[in-house]
Amino acid sequence: MKQKSQGISSGIYRYTHRCESGVNIHDIFVERSAFRVLFSYVGATCLLANVCRTLLSKESLCLGSFWSVPFSAIISKCLQYNPVKKESLVIMPAFGIQLEQHFWSGRVDRKFVPISKILQPVLNECVTPVTCYWSLALLLRDEDETMLVFQNLHPPVKLLLPIWKALCAFTNTGSISPSVVLRQDDLHKHVDQDGAVDS
């Protein structure tokens, strides 16, 4: 039995949800940009040309040749095309979840996580010196680190929210408990004089 898929779009990402034979499938697609692919090839060509020019020149190596190769490598890395077509979360009731990465080349990577190992899904706001994005992660039993649901894609929070809600319903965690997230008006009750937050 197949249910009609529902979807949301935001920027270069598109979210779809469908049910097939009791299995919930949540997909995050990335739109392929022809300019991004073209710039990726241009960046790789510039790096290769710069390295060849530096190594094959008959002149002695100078300071200019040493900085041009790392500079070309940085530009090439920035223009590198992400080969991921979509990432999927497959929820299989009574068994667990399967994380899938589908590449433009046709390769598919899959990872299964049994339900007994999942403690709770969490939405994280990740802040770097350059950007800020949201990620969906799983807290796992007997693991020191969280597991990212979407390894290569960073969709906006409005696309992650329905997936997080489905994972909460699947793991029976319901919603965020009041002890985990403090309301804004109750924050002053939990902060002592030196600024430390009480548990």
Side-chain angles (χ1 to χ4, degrees):
M1 182 170 148
K2 193 172 182 179
Q3 182 183 354
K4 187 178 177 183
S5 66
Q6 305 165 356
I8 305 170
S9 290
S10 178
I12 64 168
Y13 296 106
R14 185 170 42 92
Y15 162 72
T16 61
H17 170 248
R18 65 187 189 281
C19 292
E20 294 178 7
S21 304
V23 175
N24 285 322
I25 303 169
H26 300 267
D27 297 317
I28 299 284
F29 291 89
V30 64
E31 300 297 327
R32 190 172 195 172
S33 168
F35 285 119
R36 183 80 187 238
V37 174
L38 177 67
F39 284 141
S40 174
Y41 289 128
V42 167
T45 304
C46 287
L47 174 64
L48 185 62
N50 225 342
V51 169
C52 289
R53 182 186 60 85
T54 303
L55 294 176
L56 297 176
S57 71
K58 296 187 180 191
E59 301 171 7
S60 63
L61 294 176
C62 63
L63 184 61
S65 60
F66 284 119
W67 75 265
S68 66
V69 172
F71 179 73
S72 296
I74 290 169
I75 296 297
S76 179
K77 179 66 179 163
C78 290
L79 295 176
Q80 183 180 11
Y81 180 67
N82 188 356
V84 176
K85 179 181 182 179
K86 74 174 181 173
E87 291 195 48
S88 301
L89 170 74
V90 181
I91 300 176
M92 296 174 268
F95 294 109
I97 63 167
Q98 182 168 290
L99 307 175
E100 298 180 353
Q101 292 178 331
H102 298 259
F103 296 88
W104 287 104
S105 63
R107 190 180 95 213
V108 179
D109 292 342
R110 293 181 175 92
K111 183 168 188 171
F112 179 77
V113 181
I115 190 170
S116 61
K117 199 163 182 176
I118 302 171
L119 289 174
Q120 183 176 4
V122 291
L123 275 172
N124 289 327
E125 185 175 11
C126 305
V127 179
T128 68
V130 181
T131 186
C132 178
Y133 61 91
W134 288 86
S135 68
L136 180 59
L138 299 172
L139 296 176
L140 301 175
R141 256 183 245 297
D142 303 324
E143 296 285 333
D144 293 336
E145 296 183 5
T146 60
M147 175 188 287
L148 290 177
V149 174
F150 301 108
Q151 301 288 326
N152 293 313
L153 304 181
H154 304 296
V157 70
K158 80 176 193 177
L159 301 183
L160 293 175
L161 202 54
I163 303 169
W164 174 75
K165 287 179 181 178
L167 279 170
C168 286
F170 174 66
T171 58
N172 293 325
T173 57
S175 61
I176 303 175
S177 66
S179 63
V180 175
V181 176
L182 301 173
R183 291 185 310 186
Q184 203 65 7
D185 54 341
D186 291 339
L187 187 60
H188 67 280
K189 295 179 188 175
H190 298 281
V191 178
D192 63 10
Q193 298 298 350
D194 44 7
V197 177
D198 296 335
S199 54

